[in-house]
Amino acid sequence: MGHGTKVVKRLQQNSLTTADITAVSMANTAPAMSFFFSFATIAAAAGIASPLAIVVAAIVILLKINSLVEFTRVTPSTGSYISYIGKTFGPVAGVMAAWALSFGFIVAVGFVIAVLGGWTSLILQQFLHVTVAWQFFSILFVLVVGYLVYRGVKISTKWAAAMFAFELLLILVSMAAIIVTHWHRLSFSSFNPHYIKNGLAGMGLAFPLAVFLFIGVGNPGAMVEETQNPRRAVPVAIYTATLLVTVIYVLMAWTTSVAFHNNAQAIASQSVPFVVAASKALGPFTLLVYLAGLTSTFASLIGATNAQARMIFSAGREGLLPFELGRVSRYGTPVSAIILYLGVALTITLIWAHHGSPLTIAGVIATLGTIPVALVYLVLNLAVPVYYLRECRSQFSWLRHLVIPIAGTLALILPLWGLIEPGQPAPFNAFPWIVLGLLMVAWAYALWRLRHIPDLADRVGSIIADE
């Protein structure tokens, strides 16, 4: 294939079933962890009817997923967003997408790493009265996850699925305890649009935060090469996971509201309101809800590393990033991409959170990482009609390939603007400039790469998952 590698390096095909990647997709969203640290802010913005903001966010995510699914149906690629954008708009756009997504994923997973260490340290301190620095646990879990992901996609996926199943069980037990202890005060006011705080303004404020609950649900789109019948399995898995996670979030929001007697202000005053509510309901079994957060974060780190490292690997294999990142281990895993992904993410997290609380700094890290990722999502929506009209005109659907992608693009503008709008406090006001600088460097690198690899345009997305 021209310059660089002589032999196409493939991952282990047909290793995963539809059930496997459905579990990975759900584990990626980390329902417990995501909800624990987001719901207070969502409730503060939307009021007691915050479950409705979650439903609206889910609809927007489904619009975005449509674009990923439609590309997967016709040209499934491990590069996922990167390859699809590169095939549509050319190698320069592909390189810029690779830089943006790699940077965004590596920085954003720092949220997971920081929470994993901080939450474990908190559990030991609260229940065993033992104080251990959170950095120790962050490093330990990164090494464990790195080993599992390196050892094979089947092994690591089974671990992620098992951790998610345990997490889900603990969430269900916690919600059941809340319902039982508040049986005489059950109310469904949370589902009444009349109770949305400040109407559309409140919904608009909560919407970007609710969208972030679903970040990662489409990551298994990068695992097509290892999935049986990926053109069908991946779309089924991603849609199924999105719908199931939506139900989980809505029920968690409702039970939290019930526990706080439909007092949105009281919910907003707590850093982790669901944990507070579940702790009171569970009594001596309070540890269970804390373990839900721990297993959630651990499963999320496995799922994120598996999927996101594969996109970086694919970009390296195709030449959009350095070829070394396209190296495959003897276990059929993207070893160089895994090392880069976890190594850089851990380093950034430890430096960034050195002088602050990991559970506080995690949200700041996630914000910076989300900006370039949201940009890539937006560009993917724009790519769908262009690609189908040019390459698959006979399969073109006005609804799936034009109307829904445009709706998805418009829907993403609001949460993206919420991240980059002027006048934000430090360090958030610097984040848009950091991302802009990154894109300029990526553009220059893309031009340099194109001069040194003349067939780069032919390489992008050239390795089809099931061929």
Side-chain angles (χ1 to χ4, degrees):
M1 286 182 63
H3 180 84
T5 52
K6 294 181 180 179
V7 179
V8 174
K9 297 177 180 178
R10 302 296 298 248
L11 302 174
Q12 291 186 337
Q13 293 179 287
N14 299 316
S15 299
L16 303 174
T17 64
T18 305
D20 288 332
I21 56 171
T22 302
V24 167
S25 187
M26 296 181 74
N28 258 290
T29 63
M33 177 191 72
S34 300
F35 189 86
F36 284 4
F37 295 100
S38 302
F39 188 61
T41 313
I42 294 172
I48 209 63
S50 48
L52 298 179
I54 294 173
V55 172
V56 172
I59 293 170
V60 171
I61 291 297
L62 288 170
L63 293 176
K64 186 271 291 187
I65 286 172
N66 172 77
S67 297
L68 178 62
V69 163
E70 291 306 314
F71 270 111
T72 302
R73 293 190 200 280
V74 293
T75 178
S77 169
T78 301
S80 192
Y81 305 97
I82 298 169
S83 295
Y84 303 147
I85 289 172
K87 289 188 77 167
T88 304
F89 297 123
V92 172
V95 170
M96 293 180 71
W99 274 64
L101 213 57
S102 299
F103 174 85
F105 283 155
I106 288 172
V107 172
V109 83
F111 170 88
V112 183
I113 293 172
V115 169
L116 194 50
W119 196 249
T120 306
S121 180
L122 179 66
I123 290 173
L124 286 179
Q125 191 171 26
Q126 187 151 333
F127 293 95
L128 297 179
H129 307 294
V130 174
T131 301
V132 180
W134 68 269
Q135 291 93 335
F136 169 78
F137 293 112
S138 288
I139 294 170
L140 178 64
F141 279 118
V142 164
L143 290 174
V144 171
V145 168
Y147 175 74
L148 288 173
V149 174
Y150 165 73
R151 278 281 296 156
V153 71
K154 192 73 176 176
I155 296 172
S156 55
T157 298
K158 293 299 183 187
W159 269 85
M163 290 295 102
F164 173 75
F166 189 55
E167 167 195 3
L168 182 58
L169 175 63
L170 295 176
I171 290 174
L172 292 174
V173 169
S174 299
M175 289 194 295
I178 291 172
I179 291 170
V180 169
T181 54
H182 294 84
W183 186 257
H184 58 295
R185 290 179 177 171
L186 287 185
S187 166
F188 296 95
S189 300
S190 298
F191 301 101
N192 188 340
H194 176 73
Y195 291 104
I196 296 174
K197 183 180 177 182
N198 298 325
L200 287 176
M203 180 67 81
L205 201 59
F207 173 69
L209 302 165
V211 166
F212 300 150
L213 291 173
F214 296 89
I215 294 296
V217 74
N219 280 347
M223 303 177 79
V224 286
E225 195 167 325
E226 295 143 300
T227 302
Q228 300 166 16
N229 191 13
R231 296 174 195 247
R232 179 184 179 278
V234 170
V236 168
I238 295 175
Y239 279 130
T240 301
T242 304
L243 294 173
L244 290 176
V245 168
T246 300
V247 172
I248 294 169
Y249 283 144
V250 168
L251 289 176
M252 290 178 78
W254 172 63
T255 52
T256 304
S257 297
V258 166
F260 283 89
H261 313 307
N262 290 327
N263 187 333
Q265 191 173 354
I267 294 173
S269 68
Q270 303 290 335
S271 56
V272 279
F274 183 85
V275 173
V276 172
S279 296
K280 291 180 180 178
L282 288 167
F285 302 102
T286 297
L287 177 62
L288 295 179
V289 71
Y290 281 86
L291 290 178
L294 179 60
T295 53
S296 174
T297 318
F298 184 58
S300 177
L301 186 57
I302 295 174
T305 304
N306 256 335
Q308 294 171 2
R310 276 161 174 74
M311 295 186 211
I312 297 172
F313 154 79
S314 178
R317 181 171 62 177
E318 293 176 357
L320 299 171
L321 293 176
F323 284 112
E324 172 61 24
L325 292 172
R327 192 157 63 92
V328 178
S329 74
R330 62 193 177 101
Y331 300 108
T333 52
V335 57
S336 296
I338 292 170
I339 292 171
L340 174 79
Y341 178 84
L342 287 176
V344 175
L346 178 62
T347 302
I348 291 174
T349 303
L350 293 177
I351 293 172
W352 197 324
H354 182 63
H355 297 294
S357 162
L359 302 183
T360 302
I361 207 72
V364 182
I365 295 173
T367 302
L368 174 58
T370 302
I371 295 174
V373 174
L375 278 172
V376 171
Y377 288 170
L378 191 146
V379 174
L380 185 74
N381 282 330
L382 299 175
V384 173
V386 176
Y387 185 83
Y388 266 83
L389 284 171
R390 189 180 68 210
E391 306 291 342
C392 310
R393 188 179 287 268
S394 63
Q395 302 176 50
F396 180 80
S397 162
W398 286 98
L399 178 62
R400 289 180 290 114
H401 305 135
L402 185 63
V403 175
I404 293 179
I406 289 175
T409 301
L410 295 174
L412 276 170
I413 290 175
L414 181 60
L416 182 57
W417 176 250
L419 291 167
I420 65 174
E421 64 178 322
Q424 300 189 69
F428 300 98
N429 59 341
F431 291 171
W433 298 106
I434 292 173
V435 174
L436 181 60
L438 171 79
L439 293 175
M440 291 178 68
V441 172
W443 175 73
Y445 178 83
L447 296 180
W448 176 81
R449 202 71 172 157
L450 198 56
R451 281 200 301 270
H452 287 77
I453 309 175
D455 66 339
L456 189 58
D458 296 328
R459 287 174 164 271
V460 181
S462 60
I463 302 173
I464 306 301
D466 52 357
E467 292 181 357

